Amino acid sequence: MTAVPEPARESREVFRKHHPGLLQSDEQVIGQFAVRQPELEIVLDILRGNLDSPSCQHALILGPRGQGKSTLLARVAAEIRTNPEFAPRLLPVRFTDESAEVFDAASFWLETLFHVAREVEASQPEIAAELRATRADVIRRWQDAPLEESARAAVLAASERMDRRLVLMVENLHVLFGRRKEDFGWKLRASLQSEPRIILLATATARFAAIDDARAPFFELFHTVSLDSLHTEDCRRLWERVSGESLEGRDIRPLEILTGGSPRLLVILGQSAERLSLRGLMERLAALIDDHSEYFRTQIEALPALERRVFLAMADLWQPSEAGEIAARARLDIRTVSVMLGRLRKRGAVIARPERKKQLHAIAERLFCIYYKLRREQNEAGVIRHLIRFMGLFYSSTGRLGWFLRLLDEARTTPEVREGLLAARTEHPLVFRALEQETRGRLTVALKMLSDAVDSLPEVEPSERTRLHAVLMVETGRMQLRLDDAESAIATYEEATSRLPARTVSDLAVAITRHLSDRAFAEAERNDFGASRKTCELAMKRFGANETPEVQAYLVVALMCHVTLEITMGPLAAALARCDEMAARVDRVPEALRPGLQWLAHSFRAQALAEHGRTDAAVAEFRSAYEVFLPANDMMLGDIQNLVPDLVAAGASPQELVEVLASDRAKAEALSPLVAALRLQTGETVRVPAEVLDVAKDVGEAIREQVDGAPHPQRG
């Protein structure tokens, strides 16, 4: 994840989430249009074909709320105004969201006249003034003349005078005609089919009867353009455009899943992001819900009472549900619920999909369910918290060693050394200068200064002199390690053991074992397995008997490197022996790390057995590992995400693994995407929230990739 400098954030553009183009220049609209390029080209091609056609093609843009319909209209309008191919020939005429002022054909044409005048106000103020006067005159004579014909004639006269075809951009066509007089649609169809000066570019949240019914006015009138959820790359592009933050690898995937690929929700989340970290995604979501509660609340409160009741029942269920399940949760009869679901689908608030001769219904905008759970349960809604943690680990690149090292660093505390170093800096000028040279990268010079400082300790009382000497020895050893001279650091340690307090010796031993474990890990990452094994052996030989808990913990890290090498390159017996050695050191590491070490000893053993074709024994070892599994432990959670695909690749039955995972309900809840993925592998129908299902599909893909790359050893 690449952070953006603060100045760029201060000048971040404001994206319109609900009214794209409002008080924005055409240049801003064009510059902010980061996705939906293919759909834009389709619409522009339709307009291009209409420039000289005696019969125009009209278009209907379909997509649930928040999918970018209004943004696409704003972008088309900007293109018409700025593109020399369109500007002299077409005039964009954007209606307001749901055109509440339109209730029949006459009011439709009057509204058109109003928006035409508004569109040309800046470029042709005289014509705009005349159009307003004409509109006022038509309205004034509404009892003396046929209002509809007069208004329509005024619109066509305006088009003729400007010699430009009018592109009427009407939002929510399904709402507009769903509540108007029955003959309204037929009258509009007649005008659109007979008059080439009028082009209708409309939007709707879903298909509706007036376009699908052969007896309805809009049947086969429109070329439909569907706006599907954004795919991963489009989500990445939009996120970078909105937040200024570039997400690498799979980092964008959790955001895609949580928002359902909704451009509006990505914009809302992106504009609130400050150096977004997947590790802090739960906190970010809570802040987002708090900041945008008004948006979610008004959407819910706008629903009529019965529709709202059904909608909230679905939010509480969260997963795709049958009408009967929703009726039971809403405490309504199923007939009423079926009617309300139909209305909610027309609004675009609910989506439906068939499954085994039944219809499953779910809320269209995903964050509504999370908003409902977080606000209602007030405790971060356990299932949501589990999902966020699972995603944060699954989509990150941190491996088991990385997690263990981080936990180990958090467990280490050496305040005495830090305090002693501060004292030495102030009491010995050579130390201060040495540290200054270190910051400049001149490590050899810094090391020489530390050596000179040891030889010129100030004349103070013996205990203080010993303290300063201890600090200097630790700093000398640390500097030698920075120069990758572990042998000299060990020699410094040897000298320290005979001359300095035990605490200082322990601090230096911790520093050296950490360096050796880091080096072994780095060598293994570079595929320098021989060097990695030697480094591990050096650490074990020199510090294996050291009882300092932090030393033992870093030796475990070295052993982990050793186990990894033995699993892939050595005999099974050697790998199992290393696992046993890890387990034997459980009581010698810091207490906070013991559960993790117990888990690792079992999981490495299971992996070793699986790698060597001992699948049944591997599953049995996995069962033992699961007994000590802690859902709140990030290292364990991340490790199990990698171990289960290894077991499946080795031939373990997904059903058998599901039985292990489902043996503890609380643990299984923390692993819901993994459990769902395994159930999908068996061909089982899985009913879970859409967010969980999306993660499960990605987990399933990881399992398939692991299986495809495995040698498929025989079960033993």
Side-chain angles (χ1 to χ4, degrees):
M1 218 179 264
T2 304
V4 174
E6 289 304 319
R9 292 184 178 276
E10 292 173 2
S11 60
R12 184 188 297 169
E13 294 180 69
V14 176
F15 280 63
R16 301 285 187 262
K17 296 178 282 291
H18 306 289
H19 304 286
L22 179 65
L23 301 179
Q24 289 181 302
S25 67
D26 290 334
E27 290 72 20
Q28 285 177 304
V29 171
I30 292 172
Q32 291 183 351
F33 194 77
V35 294
R36 303 294 190 200
Q37 291 293 341
E39 293 86 352
L40 172 64
E41 291 305 318
I42 291 172
V43 175
L44 294 182
D45 281 344
I46 292 172
L47 294 180
R48 201 170 281 115
N50 287 340
L51 289 176
D52 297 305
S53 175
S55 177
C56 290
Q57 172 68 69
H58 309 284
L60 178 64
I61 301 169
L62 297 171
R65 293 184 307 193
Q67 286 296 331
K69 300 183 297 296
S70 298
T71 300
L72 180 56
L73 286 187
R75 177 64 180 85
V76 171
E79 185 71 16
I80 291 174
R81 285 190 287 261
T82 59
N83 189 328
E85 179 184 12
F86 296 122
R89 312 280 301 279
L90 302 177
L91 183 74
V93 183
R94 288 195 68 188
F95 283 50
T96 52
D97 284 356
E98 293 186 0
S99 302
E101 298 82 0
V102 176
F103 47 87
D104 57 13
S107 57
F108 176 83
W109 294 114
L110 285 172
E111 191 71 2
T112 302
L113 202 58
F114 171 83
H115 290 300
V116 170
R118 182 176 55 80
E119 177 65 31
V120 300
E121 178 68 49
S123 59
Q124 297 172 289
E126 300 85 359
I127 293 180
E130 291 178 17
L131 291 176
R132 289 196 182 90
T134 299
R135 182 174 182 273
D137 183 61
V138 169
I139 293 173
R140 187 169 51 252
R141 294 185 296 103
W142 70 274
Q143 291 181 315
D144 302 328
L147 181 60
E148 177 187 335
E149 289 303 317
S150 299
R152 178 176 177 273
V155 169
L156 296 176
S159 171
E160 188 73 25
R161 177 178 177 182
M162 293 182 289
D163 193 24
R164 295 159 82 183
R165 297 188 175 192
L166 306 181
V167 182
L168 309 188
M169 299 183 175
V170 179
E171 304 231 25
N172 297 309
L173 189 67
H174 58 299
V175 176
L176 183 66
F177 291 99
R179 64 190 182 202
R180 272 54 177 185
K181 293 183 178 179
E182 291 185 3
D183 64 347
F184 182 18
W186 290 108
K187 288 182 176 180
L188 182 58
R189 181 187 182 102
S191 296
L192 295 176
Q193 287 184 317
S194 63
E195 184 48 68
R197 286 172 287 184
I198 302 296
I199 303 169
L200 182 59
L201 178 55
T203 71
T205 56
R207 302 187 69 88
F208 54 102
I211 63 173
D212 288 331
D213 189 342
R215 298 165 298 177
F218 297 145
F219 183 69
E220 294 186 345
L221 179 67
F222 294 105
H223 179 106
T224 58
V225 180
S226 296
L227 301 187
D228 298 322
S229 299
L230 297 181
H231 56 68
T232 305
E233 189 54 41
D234 276 345
C235 288
R236 189 193 319 281
R237 189 180 304 115
L238 180 58
W239 181 266
E240 183 172 358
R241 188 70 185 84
V242 174
S243 72
E245 190 171 40
S246 178
L247 297 184
E248 305 298 334
R250 302 192 304 171
D251 286 350
I252 189 64
R253 186 71 175 128
L255 300 173
E256 177 188 359
I257 290 171
L258 289 172
T259 61
S262 163
R264 176 184 293 162
L265 294 180
L266 274 166
V267 168
I268 289 175
L269 192 56
Q271 288 196 318
S272 68
E274 284 293 330
R275 294 191 178 96
L276 181 68
S277 165
L278 293 181
R279 305 293 308 141
L281 193 52
M282 190 72 217
E283 291 76 12
R284 179 62 61 199
L285 269 179
L288 170 70
I289 295 301
D290 187 57
D291 291 343
H292 295 277
S293 288
E294 188 64 26
Y295 164 69
F296 296 111
R297 186 165 52 247
T298 54
Q299 294 294 320
I300 293 172
E301 291 176 351
L303 297 173
L306 282 178
E307 290 181 42
R308 185 188 315 139
R309 190 166 167 180
V310 170
F311 186 86
L312 292 178
M314 296 175 67
D316 195 37
L317 287 166
W318 194 11
Q319 64 188 25
S321 306
E322 299 173 16
E325 295 170 318
I326 299 169
R329 185 61 59 93
R331 302 184 305 281
L332 292 169
D333 66 87
I334 192 168
R335 184 174 300 178
T336 299
V337 168
S338 296
V339 172
M340 296 304 110
L341 287 173
R343 293 178 182 176
L344 288 167
R345 285 197 302 271
K346 288 180 181 179
R347 293 179 183 275
V350 165
I351 55 177
R353 62 176 174 84
E355 184 179 286
R356 296 186 178 182
K357 299 181 180 180
K358 294 183 178 180
Q359 286 269 63
L360 297 182
H361 300 81
I363 290 177
E365 289 191 74
R366 290 191 178 181
L367 280 183
F368 266 110
C369 293
I370 294 178
Y371 161 77
Y372 178 82
K373 291 287 187 184
L374 291 180
R375 294 286 289 182
R376 187 166 186 264
E377 298 184 17
Q378 297 288 316
N379 64 346
E380 294 187 336
V383 65
I384 296 173
R385 184 173 64 254
H386 287 319
L387 174 62
I388 299 301
R389 287 186 61 250
F390 189 98
M391 287 196 297
L393 292 165
F394 180 72
Y395 293 105
S396 73
S397 58
T398 304
R400 56 171 32 143
L401 286 172
W403 285 117
F404 192 75
L405 284 170
R406 199 193 74 172
L407 293 172
L408 184 54
D409 284 344
E410 292 174 355
R412 283 193 62 230
T413 55
T414 53
E416 296 84 0
V417 172
R418 288 196 298 272
E419 292 168 4
L421 178 59
L422 288 173
R425 287 176 178 176
T426 57
E427 295 169 22
H428 203 298
L430 278 177
V431 176
F432 183 83
R433 287 164 54 192
L435 295 173
E436 186 179 33
Q437 293 298 323
E438 181 186 8
T439 61
R440 297 180 180 180
R442 302 174 67 181
L443 301 180
T444 304
V445 175
L447 184 60
K448 177 65 168 58
M449 287 183 172
L450 286 173
S451 178
D452 293 343
V454 172
D455 296 334
S456 58
L457 284 171
E459 292 297 330
V460 292
E461 63 177 15
S463 61
E464 183 65 10
R465 183 181 178 87
T466 300
R467 182 182 65 81
L468 292 175
H469 191 188
V471 171
L472 290 172
M473 292 292 285
V474 172
E475 284 300 297
T476 298
R478 186 180 64 81
M479 202 71 68
Q480 289 166 334
L481 292 176
R482 286 205 62 187
L483 289 165
D484 201 19
D485 187 358
E487 288 70 20
S488 294
I490 291 174
T492 300
Y493 167 77
E494 297 286 358
E495 180 184 354
T497 57
S498 61
R499 300 178 56 183
L500 299 175
R503 177 179 292 165
T504 299
V505 174
S506 296
D507 289 335
L508 191 51
V510 169
I512 296 172
T513 51
R514 176 177 182 174
H515 173 81
L516 291 174
S517 63
D518 286 349
R519 190 167 82 178
F521 180 54
E523 289 164 343
E525 289 282 289
R526 296 195 303 266
N527 295 325
D528 192 351
F529 301 120
S532 180
R533 180 177 281 113
K534 288 181 180 179
T535 301
C536 293
E537 291 171 349
L538 174 62
M540 298 303 299
K541 178 180 178 181
R542 189 62 197 84
F543 297 100
N546 189 300
E547 292 301 323
T548 304
E550 288 84 0
V551 169
Q552 288 297 315
Y554 280 117
L555 290 178
V556 167
V557 175
L559 276 171
M560 290 168 66
C561 292
H562 209 164
V563 171
T564 303
L565 296 175
E566 298 292 1
I567 288 175
T568 57
M569 301 177 62
L572 175 61
L576 297 180
R578 296 291 82 74
C579 292
D580 291 342
E581 190 171 357
M582 285 176 59
R585 295 180 184 272
V586 170
D587 295 332
R588 300 166 68 182
V589 303
E591 186 175 354
L593 300 176
R594 290 174 192 171
L597 179 55
Q598 287 180 316
W599 162 266
L600 288 171
H602 284 300
S603 68
F604 269 112
R605 193 178 184 89
Q607 186 180 359
L609 290 165
E611 187 75 18
H612 288 82
R614 301 277 301 279
T615 309
D616 289 338
V619 173
E621 193 67 38
F622 175 62
R623 186 174 282 106
S624 298
Y626 198 57
E627 290 178 2
V628 299
F629 174 74
L630 299 176
N633 186 295
D634 284 348
M635 187 272 294
M636 295 186 195
L637 182 57
D639 196 37
I640 202 171
Q641 294 172 354
N642 295 317
L643 178 57
V644 168
D646 286 343
L647 294 173
V648 176
S653 161
Q655 182 58 46
E656 191 174 11
L657 294 174
V658 167
E659 291 172 2
V660 174
L661 297 176
S663 63
D664 187 306
R665 182 175 179 179
K667 294 178 181 179
E669 284 183 356
L671 299 168
S672 57
L674 181 59
V675 175
L678 291 171
R679 285 179 168 156
L680 289 171
Q681 294 270 314
T682 67
E684 183 181 343
T685 299
V686 176
R687 186 91 65 81
V688 292
E691 295 88 339
V692 174
L693 185 61
D694 278 352
V695 181
K697 289 177 179 177
D698 287 351
V699 173
E701 183 61 30
I703 292 175
R704 283 188 292 274
E705 290 176 358
Q706 192 78 344
V707 170
D708 291 342
H712 303 288
Q714 294 294 318
R715 288 176 65 90

